Amino acid sequence: MDFTHTDTRRMLADTIERYLRDKYPLAPRVEAGNAAPGFQPAHYEGLAELGVIAALFPEDQGGFGGEGFDIAVVFEELGKRLVNEPALDNALVPGPILAAAGKMDAVEEIIAGSARYALAAEEPQAFYDLTEVETKAVKSGDGYALSGTKSVVKYASGCAGFIVSARTDAGISLFLVAPDAIELREYNTVDGGQACEITLDGAPGEMLVEDGASALDAASGRAIVALSAEALGIMATIREMTIDYLRQRKQFGVPIGKFQALQHRMAEMLLEIEQARSAVINAAAALEKPQPERDRVLAATKYSIGRIGRLVAEESIQMHGGIGMTWEFDLGHFAKRLILIDHEWGDQDFHLARFINASRAA
Amino acid sequence: MDLNFTPEEQDFRTEVRNWLADNLPEDLATKTRNDAPLTKDDMVRWQVILNDKGWLTYGWPTEFGGAGWGPVKQFIFEDEMARACAPRILPFGLKMLAPVLMKFGSKEQQDHYLPRMCDGTDWWCQGYSEPGAGSDLASLKTAAVRSGDHYVVNGQKTWTTLGQYADWIFCLVRTSKEGKPQEGISFLLIDMKSPGIEVRPIRTIDGGHEVNEVFFTDVKVPAENLVGEENKGWTYAKYLLTHERTNIAGVGKSNQELDRLKALARSQKRGGKPLSEDPLFAARMARVEIDLMNMEITNLRVLAEAEAGGVPGPESSMLKILGTEIEQELTDLTRRALGRSATALTPEVDEPGYNGPHVAPEGFNNATGVYFNHRKTTIYGGSNEIQKNIITKMITGL
C-alpha cells in the first residue's frame, strides 16, 4: 500500500502548478469563458508545450502517461486553478478513439496542441445515456451519410473534426465528420466555457470505430477520472478559501470560525472532501480493471463527486454569506464549475443506478 | 500509488483468516453475527484462546510481550476478526489502560497488572464519564483526598460499560480544585471489591444491560494505585484516547454488516420481487455501500501515514464520524429490510430453549434493538459534535 505519487507525476504536478500560478489568473479566465471560443488558446498551447496533453496518452500513442493516476494528477491541478482549457473534451476523450482507428497523425496534433477534435455523442433525449442514439448513418458511396442532432458538444467550434456516434445496422458506431459538413449553434455555459448544439443533415462521415458503445464506455471511464479529479482540485481550493474566510471575517467581535454552527458545517465539508479524494484514488486505480469492477468503482466515484461536489459548493457559499453570492468574488466561479461537473458524463442519480446494476453483475 | 497490501501483508491476512476458521468457536461467531448478547464467559473464553496464540496483545510492543505489529498488520487482524464475526476484544484493559501503564505506570504496576489482564484474571472497566461530565470530561467531580497511605474516593461514575463484570476500574478523579479544571485530575486504579463501591445497572432503550452507574462512598484506595504523578491524570487520559483510535472506523464490521444486509434484502420480498431489486431500497443500500468504499480508502490513507510514523490528528475524528454514521445507517436499513417483522420484541428467540413464535428471519430477531443500541455510537467516545469541534479547531486553528 502506497498513497504517494511517483516522482514523475509529482514533478508534472509541480510544473503545471507553477505555470498556472505564474500565468493563469482567474479574471481573464472568467472573461474568456464568457465569450468565444470559451477558453484561451494561448494557454491551451502553453499547457500542451509543458507536456500536459502528452501526459494523458500512453507511449504507444506518442505520450508519456495515460494511466488513471496520470489523468488524475493533471486534472486535479487544472481544477485547483479552475482552468477551462479543453484538455478533457478536445484531447483526452477524442484522442484514444482516433488512436484506436489508426489516425495517428491526428493524435500527434492533439498531443502537440495544434489541432482539436470533439466527441459529439449525447443527444437531447439521451439524459446522459450515450447508448440513446437516434442519429442515423446510412451507406453512401465509399462512406456514410449521417443525420441527426447532438447536444452540448463542448469546445466544438474550431475543431479539426468531430467524432459522431450514429446508429448503423451493426449498432452504434463512431464516425469522423469534417467541421464544414456540420451546422453548429454555439453558446456559453454557466461555468464559463463554450458548447454547441449540432445538426447533421446527410453529413458525410468516415467510419472510425464499428463497436462504438465500447469505445464510448472507455472514453467515459477516462472522462470520469478526469472530471472527478478536477472536482477534487476545485474542492481543495474552495476548502482553503473557506478556511481563510472563517479565520478572517469577523462578526459579533470574533472570527466567524469561532461559531459552532459554522464549525460543524466546515467539519462536515472537510471530511467529505477526504472521502472525495478517496473516491478519486479508487477510480484512478480502477480504470484498467476488468468489468464489472471497473464500472462499479467509476460509478461510485462519479456519484460521490456529484453528491460531495454539491455539498461543498452549497456549504461554502453559505459560509461565505453574501460575498459568496457575488460575481466579483472568486468562490462562486469555483462553485459553479463544481455543480456543472455533475451534469457532465452522468449525474449522481445516473451513476447510482449504474453502480446498482454493476453490483448486481458482480 | 498502489492500493494493494504487500505480498507479506496478504500472506499475513491469509494466516489470520485460516487460523480464525480453525479456532473461532462456532457458537461465539453465531452470537456475534446475530448481535446476540455475549456473556462474560463467552468473552473470557475467546480472550484466552487469543492469548494462547499470542494475538490478544497484538497492539502491544514486544518488550511487554506483545506481537509488536505496526498499524497495517493491526488493521488487517481487526478486519479479519470482524469479517469472521469474532467477538470484539474488550478495549478497556488491553487497549486503553495497558498503553498508559506501559508509558506512565511504575515497574511494579506493569509487572502486576499487565499479565493479569491477558489471562483473564482481571476484568477492567473505565471510570471516565460522570453524570455532569460527558464530552466535557474535565468538569468531572469524583474526588480523591489523600489521607496517609491511601486516597478516600467519593463520587459517581456513569456509562461504565460492562462494569457489572469488572474486577477493577481505572478512574479519573479530582485531586485538586486549583487552576484549570484539567490540572487537578489524577489517574487511579480501584479494586471493585473495595467497600463503599456500588454498581447499579442502567437499562438501555433496547432493553439490554451493558452500562452501569458506579457509586463511590468513602472508598479507600492504596496510594500505590496512583498511576504516574498526582494531578497529571489529564495527560494520561489524553494519551489513552489516542490509543483508542487505531481502527475507529470499523470498516471490517461494517463490510460484514453490509454483506448480511444484502443477503437479507435478496431473501425478503416486496411486491413479489426481492427487496434488493426495489429501486428505492437498492438506492439506499448503494449509497451507504459507496460511502463505505470511500471510507475504506480514507482509512487506508490514514493507516499508510501512521505506518510511516505520522500521528493521526483530525483524521481520527473524521473516521469516527464517518464510521459511526455508516454503522448507524446499516442498522437502520437492516431494520427497514425486515418490514413489519421488525416490530416484534423477541430478542430471546435465538437462545436455547426458546419456544415462542418466530417472526423475523433467523438471526434478525433483535434487529430493531440493535438499531436503537447503535444510537450510542455517535454519542460515545466524544460525541460526533465534539469530533467536529476537534476537526475545525485543528484545521482552522480557531
Side-chain angles (χ1 to χ4, degrees):
Chain A
M1 212 165 51
D2 177 11
F3 289 96
T4 52
H5 281 303
T6 59
D7 288 346
T8 318
R9 288 187 185 127
R10 273 206 299 271
M11 276 161 54
L12 176 67
D14 289 346
T15 309
I16 301 173
E17 199 269 337
R18 212 172 312 119
Y19 174 93
L20 294 174
R21 182 168 17 95
D22 295 345
K23 299 185 176 160
Y24 197 87
L26 189 70
R29 177 267 185 215
V30 171
E31 206 176 313
N34 287 283
F39 66 104
Q40 301 166 83
H43 281 306
Y44 188 66
E45 285 155 27
L47 288 168
E49 264 170 45
L50 284 185
V52 168
I53 313 280
L56 307 176
F57 290 82
E59 276 178 36
D60 60 11
Q61 292 174 13
F64 62 83
E67 289 180 17
F69 287 111
D70 299 306
I71 297 171
V73 160
V74 166
F75 281 91
E76 186 181 344
E77 289 305 321
L78 298 182
K80 281 181 191 165
R81 288 261 164 186
L82 202 63
V83 173
N84 62 346
E85 303 303 311
L88 195 168
D89 299 284
N90 292 164
L92 177 70
V93 164
I97 298 173
L98 291 164
K103 299 271 179 195
M104 298 318 289
D105 291 353
V107 176
E108 199 179 313
E109 287 175 338
I110 287 175
I111 291 175
S114 56
R116 299 183 291 111
Y117 288 79
L119 174 69
E122 197 159 338
E123 298 190 358
Q125 83 290 352
F127 215 93
Y128 304 124
D129 185 350
L130 299 184
T131 63
E132 284 283 323
V133 176
E134 287 177 5
T135 299
K136 283 192 176 58
V138 292
K139 271 265 185 200
S140 164
D142 287 349
Y144 290 81
L146 279 68
S147 297
T149 55
K150 296 287 175 181
S151 59
V152 206
V153 184
K154 287 190 70 188
Y155 301 109
S157 78
C159 276
F162 290 84
I163 299 166
V164 180
S165 61
R167 265 194 196 281
T168 56
D169 294 339
I172 297 165
S173 303
L174 301 180
F175 298 86
L176 186 62
V177 179
D180 57 8
I182 291 179
E183 186 198 328
L184 302 180
R185 291 181 307 284
E186 299 161 12
Y187 50 90
N188 287 102
T189 54
V190 174
D191 53 341
Q194 205 189 39
C196 292
E197 300 297 288
I198 284 179
T199 309
L200 303 109
D201 185 11
E206 174 192 350
M207 168 85 79
L208 279 180
V209 184
E210 186 156 18
D211 181 7
S214 306
L216 288 174
D217 190 52
S220 140
R222 288 190 296 276
I224 285 171
V225 170
L227 275 176
S228 301
E230 182 192 347
L232 181 64
I234 292 171
M235 290 183 208
T237 301
I238 289 183
R239 176 188 188 276
E240 295 316 307
M241 292 171 93
T242 311
I243 289 172
D244 280 351
Y245 194 74
L246 291 184
R247 281 190 193 131
Q248 283 162 20
R249 166 73 170 157
K250 285 192 176 170
Q251 282 199 333
F252 306 103
V254 291
I256 58 170
K258 289 268 188 206
F259 295 113
Q260 204 174 50
L262 295 187
Q263 286 182 350
H264 287 196
R265 296 187 100 121
M266 189 63 197
E268 190 80 16
M269 190 169 116
L270 290 167
L271 70 87
E272 290 290 2
I273 293 174
E274 292 306 319
Q275 289 281 84
R277 180 170 296 281
S278 295
V280 170
I281 291 170
N282 235 347
L287 195 54
E288 306 302 331
K289 276 196 185 154
Q291 298 285 28
E293 183 58 15
R294 170 184 172 278
D295 253 15
R296 218 173 86 87
V297 174
L298 289 170
T301 298
K302 190 62 170 57
Y303 159 81
S304 300
I305 291 298
R307 178 181 70 75
I308 299 168
R310 178 187 156 194
L311 177 105
V312 170
E314 292 178 358
E315 290 297 277
S316 62
I317 292 174
Q318 176 71 23
M319 282 188 268
H320 275 83
I323 192 81
M325 291 297 301
T326 62
W327 185 273
E328 185 128 27
F329 192 69
D330 296 351
L331 176 79
H333 299 291
F334 283 84
K336 282 188 287 185
R337 178 67 191 139
L338 202 46
I339 290 293
L340 288 215
I341 281 175
D342 193 41
H343 291 273
E344 296 186 16
W345 296 91
D347 69 3
Q348 51 172 311
D349 289 343
F350 177 84
H351 284 288
L352 190 64
R354 198 168 154 239
F355 176 83
I356 292 167
N357 287 331
S359 296
R360 230 168 249 151
Chain B
M1 279 194 208
D2 180 4
L3 276 54
N4 299 307
F5 290 95
T6 64
E8 192 213 336
E9 287 160 352
Q10 286 170 28
D11 289 347
F12 172 70
R13 189 185 279 279
T14 310
E15 184 193 348
V16 174
R17 186 171 294 179
N18 291 340
W19 184 84
L20 285 167
D22 294 341
N23 292 280
L24 172 61
E26 185 48 41
D27 63 315
L28 295 184
T30 303
K31 275 192 174 183
T32 309
R33 186 178 304 113
N34 295 348
D35 287 306
L38 293 158
T39 64
K40 178 176 183 176
D41 282 350
D42 289 336
M43 288 184 259
V44 172
R45 179 152 59 106
W46 179 230
Q47 181 168 324
V48 168
I49 294 171
L50 280 172
N51 195 40
D52 289 345
K53 172 69 180 167
W55 284 355
L56 182 66
T57 53
Y58 62 94
W60 293 12
T62 48
E63 62 199 278
F64 289 99
W69 295 340
V72 172
K73 274 186 145 179
Q74 292 189 42
F75 173 85
I76 291 171
F77 179 69
E78 289 169 0
D79 200 45
E80 285 302 318
M81 291 262 285
R83 283 167 198 263
C85 298
R88 70 183 182 123
I89 299 170
L90 290 181
F92 309 108
L94 294 156
K95 291 189 184 177
M96 296 178 169
L97 177 60
V100 171
L101 289 180
M102 288 174 199
K103 187 155 173 83
F104 304 105
S106 66
K107 180 83 172 63
E108 290 73 25
Q109 286 170 339
Q110 292 168 355
D111 290 346
H112 179 74
Y113 293 111
L114 294 177
R116 292 165 63 93
M117 65 177 70
C118 295
D119 63 18
T121 311
D122 290 341
W123 180 296
W124 283 91
C125 65
Q126 182 190 33
Y128 270 28
S129 297
E130 296 186 7
S135 291
D136 178 17
L137 192 56
S139 68
L140 63 89
K141 290 195 172 62
T142 295
V145 179
R146 182 74 185 247
S147 164
D149 59 357
H150 60 264
Y151 288 93
V152 178
V153 177
N154 279 287
Q156 181 193 348
K157 294 291 175 182
T158 191
W159 312 127
T160 313
T161 303
L162 300 175
Q164 69 265 40
Y165 301 143
D167 304 296
W168 285 81
I169 183 168
F170 57 92
C171 277
L172 290 181
V173 292
R174 182 154 300 288
T175 38
S176 166
K177 287 177 184 163
E178 308 288 311
K180 290 203 303 189
Q182 286 85 347
E183 286 164 6
I185 291 171
S186 298
F187 197 102
L188 209 54
L189 312 176
I190 304 178
D191 187 341
M192 291 292 277
K193 288 184 291 293
S194 314
I197 293 186
E198 191 198 345
V199 179
R200 287 186 207 160
I202 299 173
R203 198 171 179 205
T204 42
I205 48 176
D206 56 330
H209 172 205
E210 230 176 24
V211 287
N212 303 272
E213 295 176 290
V214 182
F215 294 87
F216 300 86
T217 312
D218 294 329
V219 176
K220 281 175 75 170
V221 180
E224 68 256 29
N225 289 14
L226 177 76
V227 174
E229 290 176 55
E230 199 174 277
N231 298 330
K232 290 275 161 50
W234 189 251
T235 311
Y236 315 148
K238 280 202 302 189
Y239 180 78
L240 177 154
L241 289 173
T242 63
H243 273 80
E244 197 186 345
R245 302 182 194 284
T246 46
N247 185 18
I248 201 163
V251 170
K253 173 87 165 33
S254 285
N255 271 322
Q256 193 269 326
E257 288 293 335
L258 176 69
D259 287 348
R260 198 162 163 263
L261 168 64
K262 283 177 163 179
L264 176 67
R266 279 193 297 271
S267 67
Q268 294 286 96
K269 296 269 194 296
R270 177 179 285 172
K273 287 204 326 200
L275 184 60
S276 56
E277 288 174 27
D278 177 273
L280 280 178
F281 198 83
R284 284 176 188 274
M285 285 204 304
R287 283 194 192 114
V288 68
E289 180 170 4
I290 293 170
D291 286 343
L292 179 54
M293 278 169 69
N294 292 337
M295 181 176 73
E296 191 159 357
I297 298 289
T298 305
N299 198 357
L300 293 179
R301 285 165 51 209
V302 174
L303 206 60
E305 214 157 292
E307 189 82 3
V311 182
E315 292 86 356
S316 58
S317 294
M318 290 183 180
L319 289 174
K320 199 253 168 177
I321 294 170
L322 286 166
T324 51
E325 286 179 353
I326 287 171
E327 212 179 335
Q328 287 187 340
E329 180 68 9
L330 287 167
T331 64
D332 180 58
L333 289 176
T334 303
R335 173 178 65 79
R336 287 159 174 276
L338 291 165
R340 198 69 202 275
S341 67
T343 58
L345 177 63
T346 51
E348 71 281 20
V349 160
D350 294 317
E351 285 173 27
Y354 176 78
N355 224 356
H358 287 257
V359 182
E362 194 189 336
F364 291 97
N365 293 291
N366 193 28
T368 304
V370 171
Y371 159 80
F372 278 110
N373 183 279
H374 275 73
R375 299 292 99 199
K376 71 189 175 189
T377 62
T378 44
I379 300 168
Y380 67 32
S383 70
N384 284 19
E385 284 70 29
I386 292 291
Q387 305 303 330
K388 288 182 181 180
N389 292 354
I390 292 171
I391 293 167
T392 8
K393 192 170 179 184
M394 292 182 84
I395 293 178
T396 65
L398 285 165

